[in-house]
């Protein structure tokens, strides 16, 4: 089961998918809000954000609409660009998660509000590591961590650097597992951490536009050597789990002591009783495992743009940012200094000093293909 399927199953039935985005009809004092994310995100907004925001903003209603997926969001954005040209109502004010670079030319057309210059009182709280564009607002994140069994490994001894992790894996054969990189992001980002380790701990060395076969072979080849070195010490003498969920299951069953996990997935697993509350979670401090943020945008031509900006400011409050940790299992979009001291203490071992990313496209294909050829040549990729 992949990460999206796990989140859907743990949060309840997924919202029905639509062939076309459902249109809303703008009304004064109503924010038309859209998401293409998993059902747990819609549930979070329905049960946590909407009632709190409406209670704090008398006369303003939050109309939550499921766009189905990211293509649904883009279709609404294209409709909004057309509405700019005809000076008509785009019937949308706020996208819960969107890339302002899409559709192509959207920023240049003036579709999205410049969040940096919008005068949001809470904008200064945003974690600088999370900012990707002035036209979007990072408000929740997810990152790959290491989860471990504290009955077998003391938190004081949990590895916090790559070298310490490798030493622990070799000293505890059979007690670490990661999933195949094309079967889930937790294992995939463990592999990418090895790539960063082998290439000077410099995530900026890898960009979506700089892949070449020769550069890829050189950079990835060094990582394959690292991963082949630890392979005999992994679970079952070099076995790999089939996805994010199976890794968590192996940890829950006591088969392994440690495994990479998505932050939101492991926190939900603990909350749902899949993993015990004593489960430890830790982040590498020399360079964290990869992660990313969901970034909201406000449409500049939305009829209720000012109310939508008030919503953008509201989701950065301590109330909502704390709920992202405790109710959603995500990371805050604000700097951790703006999270309550109690939560900072509780999650001290997973506060990242960095939030590296890794490009998709040709790099992703090269990583997956190269891993099977060089690290796990005996695994049937189709199984």
């Amino acid at each position: 089961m992949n990460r999206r399927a796990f989140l859907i199953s743990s949060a309840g039935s997924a919202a029905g998918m639509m062939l076309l985005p459902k249109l809303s009809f703008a009304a004064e004092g109503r924010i038309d809000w859209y998401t293409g994310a998993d059902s747990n995100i819609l549930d979070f907004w329905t049960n946590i954000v909407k009632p709190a925001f409406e209670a704090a903003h008398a006369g303003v209603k939050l109309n939550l609409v499921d766009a189905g997926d990211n293509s649904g969001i883009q279709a609404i954005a294209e409709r909004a660009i057309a509405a700019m040209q005809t000076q008509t109502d785009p019937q949308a004010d706020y996208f819960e998660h969107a890339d302002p670079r899409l559709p192509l030319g959207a920023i240049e057309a003036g579709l999205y509000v410049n969040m940096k210059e919008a005068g949001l009182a809470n904008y200064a709280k945003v974690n600088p590591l999370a900012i990707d564009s002035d036209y979007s607002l990072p408000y929740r994140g997810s990152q790959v961590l290491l989860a471990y069994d504290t009955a077998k490994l003391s938190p004081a001894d949990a590895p916090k650097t790559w070298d310490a992790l490798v030493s622990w894996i070799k000293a505890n054969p059979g007690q670490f597992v990661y999933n195949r990189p094309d079967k889930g992001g937790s294992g995939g980002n463990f592999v990418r951490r090895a790539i960063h380790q082998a290439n000077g701990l410099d995530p900026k060395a890898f960009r979506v536009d700089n892949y070449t076969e020769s550069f890829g072979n050189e950079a990835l080849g060094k990582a394959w050597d690292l991963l082949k070195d630890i392979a005999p010490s992994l679970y079952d003498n070099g076995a790999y789990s089939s996805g994010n969920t199976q890794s968590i299951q192996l940890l829950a069953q006591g088969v392994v002591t440690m495994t990479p996990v998505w932050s939101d997935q492991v926190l939900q697993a603990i909350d749902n009783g899949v993993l015990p509350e004593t489960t430890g979670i830790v982040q590498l401090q020399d360079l964290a495992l990869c992660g990313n943020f969901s970034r909201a945008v406000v449409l500049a031509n939305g009829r209720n743009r000012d109310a939508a900006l008030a919503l953008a400011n509201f989701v950065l409050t301590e109330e909502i940012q704390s709920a992202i940790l405790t109710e959603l299992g995500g990371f805050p979009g604000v700097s951790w200094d703006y999270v309550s001291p109690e939560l900072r203490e509780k999650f001290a071992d997973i506060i990242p000093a960095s939030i590296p990313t890794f490009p998709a496209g040709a790099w992703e294909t090269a990583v997956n293909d190269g891993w099977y050829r060089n690290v796990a040549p005996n695994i049937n990729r189709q199984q």
Side-chain angles (χ1 to χ4, degrees):
M1 182 183 292
N2 62 23
R3 178 168 175 250
R4 178 180 174 91
F6 178 92
L7 294 175
I8 290 174
S9 65
S10 65
S13 298
M17 301 297 285
M18 294 167 285
L19 294 177
L20 290 172
K22 176 180 169 185
L23 297 181
S24 74
F25 297 93
E28 294 298 333
R30 188 180 78 188
I31 301 168
D32 288 324
W33 172 104
Y34 292 85
T35 187
D38 293 327
S39 62
N40 68 316
I41 302 302
L42 185 57
D43 289 345
F44 176 75
W45 277 80
T46 300
N47 300 321
I48 304 294
V49 182
K50 175 180 168 68
F53 177 75
E54 291 180 352
H57 297 79
V60 180
K61 296 297 181 183
L62 189 51
N63 179 41
L64 304 179
V65 183
D66 185 358
D69 55 20
N70 289 333
S71 62
I73 292 291
Q74 185 157 337
I76 300 167
E78 291 168 349
R79 186 185 75 206
I81 290 178
M84 292 182 70
Q85 298 168 351
T86 58
Q87 297 185 340
T88 55
D89 179 13
Q91 300 172 352
D93 301 294
Y94 192 106
F95 295 159
E96 180 271 336
H97 172 62
D99 185 342
R101 301 172 186 86
L102 298 174
L104 294 177
I107 291 176
E108 293 76 9
L111 180 62
Y112 301 120
V113 172
N114 185 316
M115 305 302 284
K116 182 179 180 180
E117 299 177 354
L120 303 184
N122 290 323
Y123 187 83
K125 299 178 181 179
V126 173
N127 189 335
L129 296 173
I131 295 175
D132 175 65
S133 167
D134 291 347
Y135 293 87
S136 62
L137 184 75
Y139 86 97
R140 63 176 174 90
S142 184
Q143 195 164 8
V144 173
L145 312 167
L146 299 172
Y148 62 95
D149 184 346
T150 58
K152 299 178 181 178
L153 174 62
S154 166
D157 297 327
K160 294 184 179 180
T161 66
W162 177 267
D163 288 341
L165 175 61
V166 168
S167 296
W168 183 89
I169 291 171
K170 291 182 175 181
N172 297 272
Q175 292 302 302
F176 186 88
V177 69
Y178 68 92
N179 64 258
R180 307 179 198 181
D182 63 333
K183 302 298 183 182
S186 59
N189 282 335
F190 177 78
V191 170
R192 285 158 176 77
R193 180 60 183 80
I195 296 170
H196 287 154
Q197 184 71 22
N199 289 275
L201 297 174
D202 183 14
K204 294 181 179 179
F206 302 92
R207 305 189 312 271
V208 70
D209 61 352
N210 76 340
Y211 175 81
T212 65
E213 185 174 358
S214 59
F215 179 34
N217 289 340
E218 176 188 0
L220 300 183
K222 292 183 287 185
W224 306 149
D225 290 339
L226 294 182
L227 294 172
K228 286 188 291 186
D229 179 54
I230 65 172
S233 300
L234 298 179
Y235 164 66
D236 199 21
N237 298 311
Y240 304 91
S241 58
S242 61
N244 302 315
T245 301
Q246 189 183 39
S247 293
I248 284 183
Q249 290 171 342
L250 291 171
L251 179 63
Q253 294 163 2
V255 177
V256 298
T257 300
M258 180 181 290
T259 186
V261 292
W262 279 107
S263 57
D264 52 358
Q265 188 170 351
V266 70
L267 292 174
Q268 287 183 347
I270 294 171
D271 186 58
N272 294 336
V274 176
L275 289 170
E277 292 185 0
T278 55
T279 300
I281 45 180
V282 68
Q283 181 59 274
L284 299 183
Q285 296 300 311
D286 49 349
L287 180 68
L289 284 83
C290 287
N292 212 332
F293 282 81
S294 291
R295 299 176 173 91
V297 299
V298 171
L299 280 70
N301 62 331
R303 178 172 292 183
N304 295 304
R305 180 186 62 184
D306 291 345
L309 287 172
L311 175 62
N313 190 64
F314 183 76
V315 298
L316 298 178
T317 61
E318 183 175 327
E319 175 185 4
I320 301 303
Q321 291 295 301
S322 295
I324 285 170
L325 272 164
T326 59
E327 304 297 329
L328 189 60
F331 271 24
V334 299
S335 295
W336 284 81
D337 290 343
Y338 298 104
V339 174
S340 71
E342 294 78 14
L343 289 177
R344 285 204 305 273
E345 181 178 357
K346 180 178 180 179
F347 295 105
D349 282 345
I350 64 171
I351 296 176
S354 57
I355 307 175
T357 60
F358 198 91
W363 277 111
E364 182 173 9
T365 301
V367 168
N368 293 339
D369 291 348
W371 184 87
Y372 277 100
R373 286 198 312 271
N374 297 280
V375 180
N378 297 323
I379 292 180
N380 184 341
R381 188 170 183 174
Q382 304 306 316
Q383 293 181 344

